Amino acid sequence: MSALVEVILPVFLVIAAGYVTVWRGLFTGQVVDALMNFTQSFAIPVLLFRAISRLDLAASYDPALLISFYTGSATGFTVALLGARYLFKRPWPDSVAIGFGGLFSNLVLLSLPITERAYGVDALGPNFVLISLHAPFCYTIGVTAMEFAKSEGIGLGQTLMSVARAMLRNPLVIGISAGFAVNLSGLPVPGVVNDAVDLLAGAALPAALFGLGGVLVRYSPEGDMKIVALVAATSLILHPAVTFTLGNLLSLSPGQLRSAVISASMAPGVNTYVFANMYGVGKRVAATLVLVATGMSILSVWIWLAILERAVG
């Protein structure tokens, strides 16, 4: 019970505060959009820059960590995709968009604050490793599958190039890339710049969590709840279960296993809806999934924290 009260509930209370504030009309949608623009375009990229620039890259990028997490991610995508297609008879493009919900976890806005509250800021190294590869991995799989499903339009190659260009302009990717540049070059960062980076990074997660709550007001629970339940189960149960099993088989360190499993147990991020909206399919299910699974993750994350406590202490 202490993990629920001390680790998880404070994070979701900040999200709830943002939700209630917008729901009651104290903040407008434009204010929330501005807040999320600040966090996603400035504060979070700076947070990622700081983390990557200070990582011990040789020690952090462990293939076993990546295999454990991303095998679970791909498994969630496959199960959600095939379930939508064969259990619920959805068209292939809809099924790919729905499957994306089993693929893309909310690693930044949920995984970071929960891992930090549970194990401290020094435990976040593996989280940042997973974040640095998350968008390229998920969007490459999602776009490839969607183009095969649609078999029309501008074609896979051009679509992948378009997505690659968009990712290279993405502030989060820019922050990660800048962090790698500083880390690999060994360039010293002036103390005054470091202090400014620390100030801006410190604002990232609280503001982003509050803004996430405000954004969730837009996603009314009106999709097919049976499909939503299936995808939520793949995201909150199957993905972390695969990651936990592989992490033990591949002998991840306790810190790596904690970060990998907690990251895997996160609800689908808002990018799930962004992907569905990009192709104009499965939007209602994706929007409902983001809202419902985020609420359900209060309980599921608590359970996974308890499993990790028993497994690795």
Side-chain angles (χ1 to χ4, degrees):
M1 182 63 72
S2 61
L4 176 64
V5 175
E6 298 173 9
V7 176
I8 301 170
L9 284 186
V11 172
F12 283 90
L13 283 175
V14 177
I15 295 174
Y19 189 99
V20 171
T21 298
V22 175
W23 173 52
R24 299 303 298 172
L26 301 177
F27 274 12
T28 65
Q30 290 85 349
V31 172
V32 171
D33 288 341
L35 177 61
M36 291 302 284
N37 187 46
F38 161 71
T39 59
Q40 295 186 341
S41 298
F42 296 99
I44 292 176
V46 169
L47 172 68
L48 297 176
F49 163 78
R50 182 181 69 175
I52 298 297
S53 68
R54 300 174 186 179
L55 270 183
D56 182 348
L57 296 179
S60 298
Y61 278 80
D62 184 347
L65 171 68
L66 302 177
I67 291 170
S68 299
F69 179 85
Y70 285 110
T71 300
S73 182
T75 302
F77 173 72
T78 303
V79 170
L81 166 68
L82 297 180
R85 175 60 179 171
Y86 293 111
L87 292 179
F88 299 102
K89 312 302 181 185
R90 300 296 291 260
W92 277 114
D94 282 46
S95 299
V96 173
I98 292 167
F100 198 81
L103 177 70
F104 202 102
S105 305
N106 198 338
L107 297 194
V108 176
L109 301 189
L110 292 180
S111 175
L112 287 178
I114 288 174
T115 305
E116 181 177 348
R117 290 194 62 81
Y119 303 113
V121 68
D122 292 338
L124 293 178
N127 295 64
F128 288 116
V129 169
L130 296 174
I131 289 169
S132 69
L133 299 176
H134 195 230
F137 177 86
C138 292
Y139 272 99
T140 298
I141 288 180
V143 169
T144 302
M146 185 63 79
E147 288 303 316
F148 275 112
K150 293 172 72 72
S151 298
E152 59 184 30
I154 63 175
L156 175 60
Q158 287 180 276
T159 302
L160 288 176
M161 287 298 296
S162 177
V163 171
R165 285 192 295 268
M167 284 196 293
L168 289 174
R169 293 193 296 267
N170 185 293
L172 301 181
V173 175
I174 292 171
I176 290 169
S177 301
F180 276 120
V182 170
N183 192 311
L184 294 172
S185 67
L187 290 173
V189 179
V192 65
V193 174
N194 266 327
D195 291 343
V197 164
D198 289 341
L199 284 172
L200 196 52
L205 293 180
L209 289 171
F210 188 92
L212 174 61
V215 169
L216 288 176
V217 174
R218 302 170 184 174
Y219 301 145
S220 57
E222 57 184 10
D224 187 323
M225 294 309 294
K226 291 182 179 179
I227 298 180
V228 169
L230 169 68
V231 184
T234 65
S235 179
L236 304 178
I237 301 173
L238 179 62
H239 185 179
V242 171
T243 299
F244 180 81
T245 302
L246 287 177
N248 279 291
L249 289 175
L250 296 174
S251 301
L252 292 183
S253 69
Q256 289 175 319
L257 186 64
R258 292 189 192 107
S259 290
V261 173
I262 291 173
S263 297
S265 68
M266 294 298 106
V270 174
N271 276 290
T272 301
Y273 178 77
V274 171
F275 181 81
N277 189 60
M278 182 169 69
Y279 285 100
V281 294
K283 293 188 290 183
R284 192 175 70 173
V285 172
T288 305
L289 173 66
V290 172
L291 178 62
V292 171
T294 299
M296 291 173 61
S297 63
I298 297 175
L299 177 61
S300 64
V301 172
W302 180 32
I303 293 171
W304 282 110
L305 283 171
I307 291 172
L308 287 167
E309 181 65 26
R310 290 192 176 188
V312 297

